[in-house]
Amino acid sequence: MSGVLVDSNVLLDVLTDDPAWGDWSADTLERCADEAVLVINPVIYAEVSVGFDRVEDLDVALPASRFRRDALPWEAAFLAGKSFLAYRRRGGERRSPLPDFYIGAHAAVRQMRLLTRDAARYRSYYPRLDLITP
């Protein structure tokens, strides 16, 4: 495996010291950092950015020395589109691909593990994805 893609919900748990999930997310993030490279992508970066007024502050919270910043592969965009199509055919109402589809597809095509608290959608649309979940 080339790394562990860290979902924004885990990062937000740690950054906001979430009372329900902060400890689990922080502990699991540290364990993953000991075992593999931690990875984020532009979608994850964008989701976490809503809590910051300045990009410089976000970059301090998600330092490049701790989180490898990967671009979204073209193959992941294709897979996200196909997963979104399956979602729509199952009755999903959103009109454009959700960030979770891009995140899951990125982990899938790059054969990374995914650290997340939101296992249901990933298991539904990326059943072979190696998830790290509560």
Side-chain angles (χ1 to χ4, degrees):
M1 297 273 173
S2 60
V4 173
L5 190 63
V6 183
D7 200 354
S8 53
N9 56 33
V10 171
L11 295 170
L12 290 168
D13 289 346
V14 174
L15 294 171
T16 64
D17 197 21
D18 182 89
W21 291 104
D23 288 342
W24 180 87
S25 292
D27 293 345
T28 307
L29 191 63
E30 287 303 318
R31 190 178 75 244
C32 288
D34 289 341
E35 300 169 1
V37 174
L38 300 177
V39 181
I40 59 173
N41 65 33
V43 173
I44 295 163
Y45 188 89
E47 287 187 318
V48 174
S49 76
V50 299
F52 293 84
D53 293 327
R54 299 174 346 114
V55 69
E56 294 85 1
D57 296 333
L58 178 57
D59 286 340
V60 168
L62 299 176
S65 61
R66 180 162 170 85
F67 297 95
R68 187 177 78 203
R69 296 175 179 200
D70 283 5
L72 284 170
W74 290 101
E75 297 89 350
F78 182 84
L79 181 56
K82 294 303 177 193
S83 298
F84 179 72
L85 180 61
Y87 159 82
R88 292 283 293 154
R89 287 182 175 159
R90 292 179 183 172
E93 297 184 13
R94 299 272 178 123
R95 299 284 176 213
S96 63
L98 302 170
D100 289 346
F101 289 117
Y102 290 108
I103 293 167
H106 184 184
V109 301
R110 291 295 186 242
Q111 299 179 350
M112 289 187 278
R113 298 171 70 200
L114 177 61
L115 172 58
T116 184
R117 284 191 296 97
D118 185 20
R121 180 172 290 131
Y122 294 117
R123 284 197 175 114
S124 294
Y125 296 98
Y126 306 101
R128 292 188 295 258
L129 191 58
D130 187 4
L131 300 176
I132 304 165
T133 60

